[in-house]
Amino acid sequence: MLHKGYSLVLTALAFIAFALTFMAVKIGNADLSKTTANASNTTQTSIDSIDNQVIAKEVAIKSVRTEAEKINTPPPPARPKNIILMIGDGMGITHITAATIYNKNTLNLERLPVVGLMKTFSTQLITDSAASATAMATGKKTYNGAIAMDARKNKLKTIVEIAEDKGLATGIVTTSSVTHATPAAFYSHQPRRSRVNREVSAEFMTQGIEVLMGGGKRYFKKEHRQDKRDLLRELRRKGYTVVDKLSEVGKDVPRKMVCLIDDMQPSGYNKRGDFLPDATHKAAQILDRDKDGFFMMVEGAQIDWGGHSRNSKFIINEMLDFDRSVGKAIDFAEADGETLVIVTSDHETGGYSINDGSLKKGEVKTKFTDDYHTATMVPLYAFGPGAEQFGGTIDNTEIFIKSCQLLDLEIPKDILEAYQKQTDNGDSAEIGADSTDIMDAHGPVFDSGFGQRFNKSKTKK
Ligand code: MG
Ligand code: ZN
């Protein structure tokens, strides 16, 4: 019995042991299953988070792709409503540098973010102002002395005429006579630039140009015209406000205005005062009245004359005057937001260089290699919508092409075809480059009015 009892105890113990073991296993299992459950939860969570991360990454990649696509397919380039083309006649890089040094190492020109270089060749290596202005105004290279006429003496349509046809307002502002080569090439057509002042002023009467400012009043006067036409009276009848000084209109903004400040060539900067900056500002205000936009040409004409007379002081004064006018144009364009300002030159004058001086004292010591134009490329600056078109190296004819494209003006078919052909085969227009061309280039400039005027200063070295 004892044995039986013992075995019973054993059985009981075994049972308890089994039970305990079972419980232990159960507990262990429970723990294990808990752990497993936790593990699987963690796994699920990390899979979810990886999924989420993958999705997030895909979204990010997609948006990067979209950004990249946006960058690769840029929005249609901004187009200007207005263009102000500013030409510093004879202004090369040295002219700008000399003015910069004199003006405590800064100019308004530095406010224009896009900079390029422009080739100035006419059909000759060294251009004159008439041929270079013709290239910029009509997109066609021609012989020196030609005013908006090609080598066969056919009239070339100018950007001013094309803009007027399309209903834009137009303006011409200069510190020379308004009939001088540079301004004349934007609105008249003459086979030779010399002794045509009265023909050019008569041609102005046939155009719809809203603003004309500069010198040359006598060419509009009855007593100085063989045809005895009183062009000043005719202008008033056509609705122009005709004045001798900008101060005569004060703050008024007339619809159309002709301001002729001198009978012939306006004085140099010292006597002329702030005519050019003020005229730039006033002309932009007047032209801005037209909802269709405007094209205006502003010329600092006398920088060139400083070069012809080998006179650094003259150059610097005229450069600073031109630069103040650039400042006025940029102020207008900044406030307006739809105006492209292009600043360039028609050619370099003087083979001008700075050989010594002091940035601290604002002094330059300079040399001239010649008293005529050179073939050196000239700088080109741009500000505003479309400015990026004017970076790099361009030809003077491209001022016309690009300006027309940006203002959506119709380019004459033959001009466009010639331009495309040049672009395609990389050829530039035919350019003569022998010494005869250079001799020819000297001819017409000096019988156009300013040669005599600056003969005295020509002796200054
Ligand atoms: Mg000029
Ligand atoms: Zn010149």
Side-chain angles (χ1 to χ4, degrees):
M1 278 304 285
L2 249 179
H3 189 77
K4 216 180 177 179
Y6 182 71
S7 97
L8 258 174
V9 170
L10 272 180
T11 309
L13 279 172
F15 179 79
I16 290 163
F18 175 79
L20 281 172
T21 313
F22 178 80
M23 279 170 73
V25 168
K26 196 75 183 148
I27 291 162
N29 271 357
D31 283 342
L32 194 69
S33 71
K34 209 175 171 183
T35 315
T36 314
N38 277 349
S40 92
N41 272 349
T42 311
T43 312
Q44 193 54 48
T45 312
S46 44
I47 287 171
D48 283 352
S49 101
I50 287 168
D51 275 354
N52 286 341
Q53 280 171 20
V54 167
I55 290 165
K57 267 182 190 159
E58 273 169 4
V59 170
I61 288 167
K62 238 184 203 170
S63 91
V64 167
R65 268 196 207 126
T66 318
E67 283 306 308
E69 273 160 17
K70 269 188 205 159
I71 292 162
N72 289 336
T73 43
R79 276 197 177 176
K81 183 179 154 201
N82 314 312
I83 292 184
I84 302 176
L85 171 63
M86 307 190 71
I87 301 175
D89 197 314
M91 179 182 77
I93 291 175
T94 307
H95 303 64
I96 295 169
T97 314
T100 305
I101 294 168
Y102 182 87
N103 199 46
K104 301 189 171 76
N105 202 11
T106 183
L107 287 179
N108 282 303
L109 276 172
E110 294 173 22
R111 294 167 66 189
L112 291 92
V114 176
V115 182
L117 288 173
M118 190 173 82
K119 298 172 187 175
T120 66
F121 317 120
S122 59
T123 53
Q124 289 143 289
L125 184 70
I126 295 178
T127 190
D128 81 322
S129 292
S132 188
T134 297
M136 290 189 270
T138 73
K140 183 93 179 164
K141 288 192 189 290
T142 187
Y143 58 95
N144 291 350
I147 295 195
M149 283 191 135
D150 69 12
R152 292 194 181 87
K153 302 197 174 157
N154 298 310
K155 287 185 182 180
L156 297 163
K157 200 148 192 181
T158 75
I159 188 165
V160 165
E161 292 170 313
I162 299 169
E164 281 293 336
D165 283 352
K166 218 200 156 196
L168 276 74
T170 58
I172 304 283
V173 176
T174 179
T175 51
S176 67
S177 162
V178 295
T179 56
H180 208 255
T182 312
F186 282 81
Y187 66 88
S188 71
H189 309 271
Q190 296 291 333
R192 270 179 65 85
R193 60 181 278 172
S194 55
R195 298 183 195 92
V196 292
N197 295 295
R198 289 156 190 85
E199 287 82 350
V200 171
S201 56
E203 275 192 89
F204 178 81
M205 305 306 290
T206 67
Q207 306 279 7
I209 301 165
E210 280 77 4
V211 173
L212 184 69
M213 299 182 182
K217 191 175 182 180
R218 71 151 55 207
Y219 310 122
F220 292 78
K221 286 178 177 169
K222 193 177 165 185
E223 60 268 37
H224 293 289
R225 300 186 57 87
Q226 268 190 331
D227 60 13
K228 297 291 166 202
R229 278 175 73 185
D230 184 347
L231 300 187
L232 295 171
R233 201 173 149 200
E234 287 181 32
L235 284 168
R236 286 195 184 93
R237 266 203 224 128
K238 279 168 164 272
Y240 287 93
T241 299
V242 182
V243 293
D244 296 331
K245 283 183 213 127
L246 288 168
S247 56
E248 284 177 49
V249 292
K251 289 198 168 165
D252 284 358
V253 182
R255 302 198 76 81
K256 299 201 282 182
M257 181 166 154
V258 171
C259 175
L260 300 171
I261 61 166
D262 204 295
D263 238 9
M264 294 170 78
Q265 305 298 352
S267 326
Y269 172 71
N270 296 343
K271 286 187 186 167
R272 190 176 71 232
D274 283 336
F275 163 72
L276 192 62
D278 292 348
T280 304
H281 175 71
K282 180 61 78 183
Q285 275 187 317
I286 295 171
L287 298 175
D288 197 34
R289 295 177 69 135
D290 194 313
K291 288 190 192 91
D292 302 313
F294 68 77
F295 175 88
M296 134 160 120
M297 194 286 291
V298 177
E299 186 198 17
Q302 302 195 21
I303 301 164
D304 177 61
W305 305 354
H308 284 291
S309 55
R310 299 175 183 249
N311 184 332
S312 272
K313 183 90 183 116
F314 191 157
I315 289 172
I316 290 169
N317 274 335
E318 290 298 332
M319 267 305 308
L320 293 175
D321 178 57
F322 182 62
D323 187 64
R324 278 188 287 272
S325 312
V326 169
K328 295 286 184 188
I330 301 290
D331 290 345
F332 176 86
E334 267 177 358
D336 175 68
E338 294 182 291
T339 301
L340 168 66
V341 180
I342 306 163
V343 186
T344 190
S345 167
D346 51 355
H347 52 72
E348 196 271 352
T349 303
Y352 191 35
S353 69
I354 298 166
N355 310 86
D356 201 354
S358 160
L359 199 53
K360 248 188 194 169
K361 292 181 198 161
E363 284 174 5
V364 288
K365 283 185 182 161
T366 58
K367 282 180 186 166
F368 295 87
T369 61
D370 200 13
D371 62 3
Y372 193 65
H373 310 161
T374 69
T376 308
M377 287 195 278
V378 292
L380 174 72
Y381 296 82
F383 173 101
E388 69 286 347
Q389 296 272 325
F390 297 89
T393 306
I394 77 161
D395 189 69
N396 51 6
T397 52
E398 288 178 90
I399 296 284
F400 170 82
I401 301 281
K402 288 171 189 280
S403 297
C404 285
Q405 285 170 341
L406 285 166
L407 290 177
D408 202 20
L409 300 177
E410 200 183 332
I411 299 169
K413 216 179 145 203
D414 55 324
I415 302 284
L416 186 63
E417 278 172 7
Y419 169 67
Q420 285 165 341
K421 214 172 130 196
Q422 284 168 29
T423 309
D424 288 344
N425 62 22
D427 283 341
S428 63
E430 76 243 50
I431 291 160
D434 57 43
S435 56
T436 337
D437 294 331
I438 297 166
M439 293 303 289
D440 287 349
H442 278 78
V445 173
F446 291 98
D447 55 14
S448 60
F450 74 84
Q452 276 180 316
R453 190 178 182 108
F454 295 114
N455 271 349
K456 273 182 211 154
S457 49
K458 261 187 99 166
T459 52
K460 285 183 202 161
K461 298 276 164 166

